[in-house]
Amino acid sequence: MTNSDEIRIPRFDAYERVMHWMSALSFGYATLTGLAIWSPKLYWMAAVLGGGFHVRGTHPWSGVVFAVMIGVMFRRWAAGMSLDADDRVWLTRLHKYATHDHGALPPSGRFNAGQKMLFWSQVATTLALFATGIVLWFPESMPRSLRLASIALHPLAAIGSITNILVHIYMGTAAVPQSMRAMLRGYVVPEWARFHHPKWYKAWRASHHS
Amino acid sequence: MIVAKLIDTTLCIGCKACEVACQEWNDQEYTLGTFGGTYQTMPDLSHNFWNLIKFNEMERDGGTSWLMSKYQCMHCADAGCLAACPAPGAIVPRANGTIDFVHENCIGCGYCITGCPFDVPRLSPTTKKVYKCSLCSDRTAVGLEPACIKTCPTNCLTFGERDELVRIAEARSVELKADGFADAGVYNPPGVGGTNVLYVLKHASEPEQYGLPKDPQIPWTVSLWKGPMKWLGSLMFWGTILGAFFHFVIYGPQDPAKHGHPEKEDEPSDKF
């Protein structure tokens, strides 16, 4: 008999962890440099990061790294991110999730419906940020109408994306204990898996302890 | 005192002395242009060419006509470049009405190029910063007139107090009307709060013929970005941060031991 705390269920392999943290670091850098240029009140961040001229040069490249990593993430995860019938019910009971009334929620698979929605909204905002970012990167090569649209759409997509990630950071740190370890070290314990992702846990159990 | 430059296009003889004076005073490198079959020196403004005399050649008034215009920064009272600029101190509206680019603060994003309704600022491929006419702020600061004004041989260009120049311009268009140019008038577009570069035009109802926009405005997407979107962003970011914090204070973390439920008890135990 083994203590359940010593059983490790692999949740994210090294490829997924590197892909996630590459996205996170490039997103973090793009966010800090982007916010610095976004508002004069936050321009001091540009000074901290090497000055406005430097920041204008590096911000687009961090965006390119982020967009590529989201592409990698899409290839790896998109197939498992479609909403099933349980997920659709789950979304209508989001308030139950937020108030810890887990008994009222249908069981989740490897990712719950909230995580799936985060994934798709990040894919959408990244597409928008990338397209408008390219336009803003090369002002003299782009038609003015596109530049005028991008000046408003780029920060709008960024507001959506950053807001999502703020929720994501809260969920991954304070709100759901042990989820950070899953993304840093790659494993979770059975009790965690059974509670947060019952369908995924069942599948793992079936394949390991039938 | 707000200063201005008055361009009486009816007096321009296309000598381009102002172009040369601009290049000389501002110590611009010479760049070989392209010959497009016109009398124009260059096809367009560039980062090292801030003042272009345009020969707008067209068939009108019963013959071939040149509608001369001086293409340069308009030094708007309500400047689109300044509205769009994200770098504090890079675009400075001087007390005399000059819109001045301070290159040590320029980050080279090119937003001013997009914000300008006159399509004036140009990015340098070498310094990656943006350049345009400064109304010779280094001359006007010590009481000299801009180099282009100083050199103009026909009094097509006048420099002085803005209100006075507006009066002179209006008097001149009255004169032109009396001479048979019924459409003569002053170009001082209100959409950008008026410009500190004023034109007297023979065909004032068709400024596009001179390459001037009919009703220039600060683009609404720039105003949206600089205005309501800042509020939206602050609301979303602070709302989310405070919302997450107070969610934690009220509900705490998700805890399998506390928040598990009977249904799940039927599932296989994690003891093996």
Side-chain angles (χ1 to χ4, degrees):
Chain A
M1 192 147 176
T2 318
N3 188 320
S4 68
D5 284 350
E6 287 168 11
I7 297 172
R8 294 177 170 194
I9 304 178
R11 179 146 175 82
F12 300 116
D13 63 20
Y15 182 89
E16 289 174 327
R17 300 200 302 273
V18 170
M19 151 186 113
H20 173 273
W21 288 112
M22 287 283 289
S23 316
L25 292 171
S26 54
F27 184 86
Y29 186 84
T31 299
L32 294 178
T33 52
L35 287 175
I37 302 174
W38 185 55
S39 170
K41 293 191 181 75
L42 297 173
Y43 196 67
W44 57 271
M45 286 163 47
V48 172
L49 294 164
F53 188 75
H54 175 73
V55 155
R56 186 266 182 267
T58 53
H59 174 82
W61 287 109
S62 64
V64 167
V65 172
F66 177 67
V68 167
M69 293 322 296
I70 289 295
V72 171
M73 197 179 278
F74 185 86
R75 277 188 56 193
R76 184 74 179 219
W77 282 347
M81 288 291 178
S82 47
L83 297 174
D84 63 20
D86 282 337
D87 291 328
R88 274 185 271 275
V89 176
W90 192 99
L91 283 177
T92 63
R93 298 181 190 166
L94 190 61
H95 57 291
K96 302 282 186 190
Y97 180 78
T99 54
H100 299 335
D101 187 3
H102 291 254
L105 294 168
S108 293
R110 186 183 179 200
F111 295 109
N112 69 32
Q115 292 173 301
K116 290 177 178 179
M117 294 310 286
L118 172 76
F119 175 83
W120 290 115
S121 62
Q122 282 307 103
V123 168
T125 51
T126 303
L127 281 174
L129 285 166
F130 187 73
T132 54
I134 293 288
V135 170
L136 295 173
W137 200 352
F138 306 104
E140 292 202 311
S141 318
M142 297 289 172
R144 183 162 187 251
S145 54
L146 283 185
R147 281 182 277 135
L148 285 171
S150 298
I151 270 188
L153 290 175
H154 193 77
L156 197 64
I159 289 170
S161 186
I162 295 167
T163 303
N164 277 333
I165 292 303
L166 287 172
V167 176
H168 180 54
I169 292 170
Y170 171 59
M171 298 304 298
T173 54
V176 183
Q178 298 188 36
S179 54
M180 185 60 97
R181 188 176 61 193
M183 194 45 90
L184 283 172
R185 302 297 307 121
Y187 65 89
V188 293
V189 297
E191 176 68 0
W192 187 96
R194 196 171 75 94
F195 177 71
H196 292 288
H197 301 278
K199 286 196 286 192
W200 177 67
Y201 171 71
K202 265 186 190 168
W204 174 80
R205 201 172 180 283
S207 62
H208 285 76
H209 304 272
S210 45
Chain B
M1 181 180 85
I2 303 293
V3 296
K5 183 191 286 190
L6 172 61
I7 303 165
D8 184 347
T9 60
T10 63
L11 296 180
C12 179
I13 56 170
C15 70
K16 304 165 198 163
C18 57
E19 292 182 358
V20 176
C22 180
Q23 294 298 93
E24 283 289 314
W25 178 260
N26 293 298
D27 200 17
Q28 308 277 31
E29 63 184 280
Y30 173 75
T31 312
L32 197 63
T34 50
F35 179 62
T38 78
Y39 281 78
Q40 253 173 242
T41 319
M42 297 281 183
D44 196 9
L45 296 178
S46 74
H47 66 280
N48 58 3
F49 188 71
W50 302 342
N51 169 35
L52 171 68
I53 296 300
K54 276 193 181 170
F55 287 62
N56 304 289
E57 189 175 320
M58 52 198 61
E59 299 293 324
R60 62 179 305 151
D61 307 331
T64 303
S65 183
W66 268 331
L67 301 181
M68 311 303 293
S69 68
K70 188 174 187 290
Y71 182 27
Q72 55 150 76
C73 174
M74 301 292 284
H75 299 279
C76 308
D78 203 0
C81 59
L82 177 59
C85 179
I91 301 180
V92 178
R94 303 286 181 198
N96 67 359
T98 306
I99 301 294
D100 216 358
F101 281 15
V102 179
H103 293 105
E104 65 182 35
N105 293 331
C106 174
I107 64 171
C109 65
Y111 272 33
C112 55
I113 301 169
T114 304
C116 175
F118 297 96
D119 187 27
V120 165
R122 294 288 185 272
L123 201 60
S124 160
T126 46
T127 66
K128 309 281 184 201
K129 297 192 177 200
V130 183
Y131 297 83
K132 68 160 188 72
C133 157
S134 65
L135 205 74
C136 284
S137 57
D138 49 349
R139 290 175 60 87
T140 57
V142 293
L144 298 171
E145 57 191 358
C148 57
I149 312 275
K150 172 94 176 160
T151 201
C152 179
T154 66
N155 286 334
C156 159
L157 303 181
T158 321
F159 178 75
E161 194 179 346
R162 190 176 192 280
D163 295 343
E164 177 63 14
L165 290 189
V166 170
R167 274 194 294 278
I168 292 174
E170 273 159 8
R172 174 63 179 158
S173 41
V174 169
E175 210 174 275
L176 285 166
K177 279 178 179 154
D179 283 352
F181 296 103
D183 193 21
V186 181
Y187 185 79
N188 179 24
V192 288
T195 52
N196 294 331
V197 172
L198 307 158
Y199 291 86
V200 173
L201 305 176
K202 264 195 299 192
H203 306 286
S205 67
E206 307 165 70
E208 303 95 326
Q209 302 278 13
Y210 296 84
L212 296 165
K214 182 129 193 162
D215 183 23
Q217 307 268 356
I218 292 184
W220 68 269
T221 53
V222 170
S223 309
L224 180 72
W225 167 53
K226 284 284 182 167
M229 208 178 285
K230 296 273 189 289
W231 288 97
L232 177 71
S234 300
L235 197 72
M236 295 291 280
F237 298 155
W238 285 113
T240 307
I241 291 166
L242 292 173
F245 178 72
F246 285 109
H247 179 268
F248 191 80
V249 167
I250 295 166
Y251 296 104
Q254 293 179 17
D255 184 350
K258 267 199 298 190
H259 305 128
H261 50 87
E263 283 168 60
K264 300 259 165 66
E265 302 306 315
D266 300 337
E267 286 167 9
S269 154
D270 33 306
K271 303 276 189 283
F272 303 104

